[in-house]
Amino acid sequence: METNGYAIVSACCISIIVLIARPRVRRCVPWRRPAVGSIQPDPGITLILQLLATAVGQGTSIPRALEVIGESVAGSYGTSLVRVARALHRAVPWRDAWVPVLAAGRHEELSLIRDALEDAWDQGVSPVGRLDVAVKQIRMRRRGAIERGASRLAIRLLVPTGLCFLPAFILIGVIPSIGSFSM
């Protein structure tokens, strides 16, 4: 009879915990779809550059590739690429088509796209090589930033750990050893 009582008490405790934790778990579920009209995160610049390289490498014109990729991706990148594509369709010169977009923000990333595609637009050179090089440069820059951050973190973790273990090592290991040798 006593084990049956413990089982009932534990079942009640578990059900109370489930009832309390249930609303919190629902808020933390990462796989729920965002609501219609909610703000979507911008895709990475490397993804956009690779999509552009693929589209242009398959023979799509630069304005059409910018327009289709801009419509496909969400956020400010997409609207910027669509604006540039529409300006190019209206026969606006290359540099002038990018001016309003670059003035609106994200100057560094969008200028990277502009510079990678400029020779292809002006001279008819294949932009695939320049787009691939741009992707590699971005990845190397990000990897370097991650490695610098990791080394800073290692130093920040090592100093407190050393300050905690060194006195303990001296008190537990060194002083008893010196005491035993002196006797």
Side-chain angles (χ1 to χ4, degrees):
M1 195 70 161
E2 289 179 21
T3 38
N4 202 8
Y6 290 130
I8 292 173
V9 170
S10 63
C12 289
C13 290
I14 289 173
S15 62
I16 290 171
I17 290 171
V18 167
L19 288 174
I20 291 172
R22 192 178 217 177
R24 293 182 184 155
V25 171
R26 284 187 184 155
R27 283 183 280 171
C28 299
V29 175
W31 55 83
R32 288 191 349 193
R33 291 187 176 212
V36 176
S38 65
I39 298 174
Q40 298 291 326
D42 283 334
I45 187 70
T46 56
L47 175 65
I48 292 175
L49 287 170
Q50 289 173 336
L51 288 171
L52 283 170
T54 303
V56 175
Q58 294 298 317
T60 308
S61 67
I62 292 175
R64 181 68 181 149
L66 289 171
E67 184 176 19
V68 169
I69 292 169
E71 290 172 353
S72 300
V73 300
S76 63
Y77 283 131
T79 56
S80 299
L81 293 177
V82 169
R83 286 175 64 189
V84 169
R86 290 183 180 153
L88 292 173
H89 281 303
R90 289 190 314 261
V92 174
W94 180 258
R95 289 269 178 186
D96 296 340
W98 288 91
V99 169
V101 172
L102 293 176
R106 297 199 181 232
H107 175 71
E108 200 172 304
E109 289 127 355
L110 290 173
S111 65
L112 187 67
I113 295 173
R114 179 197 64 198
D115 295 340
L117 295 174
E118 186 171 15
D119 285 342
W121 182 259
D122 290 339
Q123 301 169 3
V125 179
S126 174
V128 176
R130 291 197 63 180
L131 290 169
D132 289 339
V133 168
V135 169
K136 288 178 186 176
Q137 287 176 346
I138 291 171
R139 287 184 178 159
M140 287 177 56
R141 228 181 299 145
R142 288 181 183 168
R143 188 175 300 127
I146 290 171
E147 289 174 359
R148 284 190 301 275
S151 66
R152 274 188 253 125
L153 178 64
I155 291 170
R156 287 182 184 164
L157 292 175
L158 183 64
V159 171
T161 306
L163 291 176
C164 291
F165 283 119
L166 185 61
F169 172 71
I170 291 173
L171 290 175
I172 294 173
V174 175
I175 293 177
S177 301
I178 292 174
S180 68
F181 287 135
S182 65
M183 288 189 182

